[in-house]
Amino acid sequence: MKQTAYASKGWKALQADYIKRDLHALHVQKLHSRLSKDISGVSLEEAAIHYGFLSHSAICIPAARYMQTGVLEHAESYFCLSTLAKQTSCGLLAHNPRWESERTSKLQMPDSITAAVLCGLTPAALNLLAFDRMALEREKTPMWNGRPDTRIDRKQEERRKRRRALEIDLFESLLRQEDKPARRTLAELDSLRYTPSASQTIHALLDQDGPRFADAVALHMREFRQGPDAGEWNDFVLLMEFLYQKRDAYQPPDLADAPAALLSLPECAPSRLEERLGVPLPSFDVEALLPVLDLSKAGPNFQQY
């Protein structure tokens, strides 16, 4: 395995767990098992969960292989598969009038957005952000004793929703390289106490200030490593570094939890995905899937893999 430029104790412990449990082989086995499952006649909910599982398994495979061997071979293909499956899952949920999303204060899918951009599917990343906006509109109503919970502070709830909607707007503008609306949105987010390290990174990106951008990325990485649930790599930093490289010259540091090789993956053509991965793939066309599902069924009555 190649030596990494820097790895925190937490990252090294996570790596040791991946190696001990051979999680790469486990995720490959799970993906192949899910790809072979026939979902004809299942409910919309179950179909959405199935494609969500496919997306999760596919995005875990390159991460697990990297953790165990330091290699990122075919990462773009697995990112592409994960993106297509995520779009399908979201599309099925959007067609389900019964579906309500969980209440959150942040973007629901930063890893999926980053994966889509890194493999050359920026339009798909924008579609995922559009779904995140729809999910915000279809959040579950908090209940108490069978009735809407009136104990919730309305001002805090409005502030939470406004901040999340602004964050969606901000990332859409960044992906489209629309700087003026991005600056306006970021200024409003700052007034709502947006995460300082994220704000500083995006300000430096928009100003194309390389030294300040590097300092902001370093700050974000330090905070990431100190978190209790720091994962394999920092999706936000990778996305910001990728976007900076599209605007100006920037040499990213090659860090264990933000490998520079992920910023130069070859673009993945979805039409060649089955050939590249060597496995038969299901349909990712929501309109083609709807006729084979049982829309009269309700509920995720699925068998756990």
Side-chain angles (χ1 to χ4, degrees), residues 59-123:
I59 207 170
C60 283
I61 288 174
R65 186 175 188 186
Y66 169 72
M67 294 297 286
Q68 293 180 218
T69 68
V71 173
L72 287 166
E73 185 179 7
H74 299 311
E76 70 283 353
S77 296
Y78 285 108
F79 284 169
C80 181
L81 172 56
S82 177
T83 300
L84 296 177
K86 189 69 174 181
Q87 277 198 128
T88 307
S89 178
C90 293
L92 291 168
L93 289 174
H95 275 80
N96 184 358
R98 299 179 293 268
W99 177 72
E100 293 178 307
S101 69
E102 299 295 333
R103 293 167 66 248
T104 63
S105 58
K106 297 180 180 180
L107 289 175
Q108 295 192 68
M109 51 189 74
D111 56 340
S112 298
I113 293 168
T114 300
V117 170
L118 293 179
C119 71
L121 298 179
T122 298

Side-chain angles (χ1 to χ4, degrees), residues 237-275:
V237 163
L238 287 168
L239 179 59
M240 293 300 108
E241 289 181 331
F242 183 88
L243 294 176
Y244 197 101
Q245 284 187 331
K246 290 179 69 70
R247 296 161 175 267
D248 202 356
Y250 174 71
Q251 185 62 42
D254 190 15
L255 304 175
D257 34 12
L262 281 175
L263 304 175
S264 56
L265 294 176
E267 290 191 3
C268 180
S271 61
R272 297 190 57 201
L273 187 56
E274 196 168 68
E275 172 191 344

